[in-house]
Amino acid sequence: MSIEKPVFSKVAIHTYTNKPWNLQECIDRYSRAGVAAMSVWRNLIDPAEGGIGIDEAAKRVRDSGLAVPALVRGGFFSRPTVEERQEAIDLNRRYVDEAAALGAEMVVLVVGAVPGLELAEARKQVKDGIAAVADHAREAGVKLAIEPLHPMYAADKSCVNRMAEAREICEDLQHPAVGIAADVYHIWWDPDVESELRRAAEQNTLFGFHICDWRVNTRHLLTDRGLMGDGCIHVAKFRRLVHSLGFEGYHEIEIFNEEYWAMDQNEYLELILRREEACR
Ligand code: ZN
């Protein structure tokens, strides 16, 4: 399907993309560069990780006028014991409250996996965990976005690896607060990706859309994500596809990369925005 002039004015950056910056630096630099939105990672909030606490973070974010598509990240519902699974549910309810305080649309869920636990059982734990948080999310006006992760993370980070597994949870729960965050890094290789994106759009479960690139000869499983144009993903094609499907949310730039973190972050931000323009 061809779209004559795609409009991607809704571009957001995940704060972890500019990991060396604190929350205020992200706010100031993104605002100055004309970026309208940012998805906030919890390391900038949680005092245990050096963050400034949710009250101060929420005040600064709201004062900034920046939109916040997502708080990143919650999830990890699959755990070895009942007690730990309940702990995950309680934590995610807190993340929902934090998202509401920030004015974030959604909490992105990296759903979890336990090495050695059968994936089907892990997915059941995930579904039960999300079900236990969903009403709280709806009451708070926050969505829960299941993010399928590339199968290289199936053992320990996510038992949901394709759009289809995320869809099945959405279909089972039939809850208006539960949907999907589609990240091209994780799903570009899936032969069903286009039809699944279409189904998600039809089912009103396409909540989030993340862009970056897959470096051929990936050097690290976590921290070698490419900037758009560095790798082999047809990012522009995905952007046009979700646009044609009626997706009106932000195109969220989410990159973790040691080389880029070592750069001058102001120069890196300029590069990010040039690459974003080049993949429209
Ligand atoms: Zn993502």
Side-chain angles (χ1 to χ4, degrees):
M1 184 170 183
S2 69
I3 299 295
E4 283 190 1
K5 279 191 178 177
V7 178
F8 302 129
S9 58
K10 294 182 79 170
V11 170
I13 300 180
H14 280 231
T15 56
Y16 217 80
T17 301
N18 295 103
K19 187 183 171 194
W21 282 344
N22 63 32
L23 182 65
Q24 193 60 49
E25 287 171 321
C26 288
I27 289 170
D28 293 343
R29 309 282 162 73
Y30 296 159
S31 298
R32 199 188 308 157
V35 178
M38 63 177 182
S39 284
V40 179
W41 275 64
R42 290 201 66 264
N43 64 305
L44 299 181
I45 295 171
D46 193 341
E49 296 184 59
I52 59 175
I54 185 58
D55 293 342
E56 183 64 23
K59 182 181 179 312
R60 293 188 189 200
V61 168
R62 286 180 176 276
D63 286 350
S64 76
L66 288 169
V68 183
L71 173 68
V72 195
R73 58 197 187 179
F76 291 96
F77 292 106
S78 181
R79 305 268 181 114
T81 66
V82 175
E83 291 75 19
E84 288 166 289
R85 293 197 286 280
Q86 183 58 49
E87 189 186 334
I89 289 165
D90 296 341
L91 269 176
N92 278 276
R93 287 186 179 139
R94 201 180 94 204
Y95 299 159
V96 164
D97 296 338
E98 290 180 354
L102 292 168
E105 288 174 43
M106 72 192 94
V107 177
V108 170
L109 303 178
V110 170
V111 298
V114 178
L117 182 67
E118 285 194 21
L119 290 172
E121 173 58 22
R123 287 184 204 117
K124 183 181 177 307
Q125 293 178 357
V126 166
K127 186 170 74 177
D128 292 347
I130 294 172
V133 180
D135 282 346
H136 181 68
R138 181 176 51 192
E139 284 158 20
V142 172
K143 296 173 180 172
L144 302 173
I146 302 165
E147 180 167 25
L149 257 55
H150 188 281
M152 68 180 173
Y153 301 118
D156 59 350
K157 288 195 168 50
S158 179
C159 58
V160 170
N161 307 108
R162 298 178 303 158
M163 292 284 291
E165 282 103 44
R167 170 174 52 78
E168 283 161 17
I169 293 173
C170 294
E171 287 175 345
D172 284 354
L173 296 181
Q174 292 289 330
H175 195 291
V178 179
I180 299 170
D183 184 328
V184 297
Y185 185 76
H186 298 299
I187 60 173
W188 66 276
W189 54 274
D190 182 349
D192 298 322
V193 66
E194 289 192 22
S195 59
E196 289 292 343
L197 283 167
R198 185 164 287 111
R199 287 174 81 162
E202 286 166 3
Q203 295 176 347
N204 295 316
T205 54
L206 186 56
F207 289 176
F209 176 59
H210 303 175
I211 58 174
C212 57
D213 211 340
W214 178 276
R215 280 179 48 88
V216 180
N217 298 325
T218 287
R219 297 163 297 189
H220 191 280
L221 294 188
L222 279 177
T223 58
D224 197 31
R225 281 185 183 225
L227 184 55
M228 296 79 76
D230 285 345
C232 60
I233 302 177
H234 294 260
V235 179
K237 191 193 80 172
F238 277 107
R239 300 183 79 183
R240 292 193 196 113
L241 175 63
V242 298
H243 182 75
S244 74
L245 295 172
F247 177 76
E248 293 180 338
Y250 288 90
H251 294 206
E252 302 174 45
I253 297 165
E254 182 191 26
I255 294 149
F256 329 129
N257 186 301
E258 301 283 355
E259 282 184 7
Y260 287 130
W261 288 334
M263 276 180 70
D264 176 284
Q265 293 299 287
N266 290 306
E267 289 175 15
Y268 177 37
L269 180 56
E270 288 176 16
L271 179 63
I272 290 169
L273 295 176
R274 282 201 300 277
R275 294 290 189 88
E276 186 280 321
E277 275 190 24
C279 70
R280 291 186 181 183

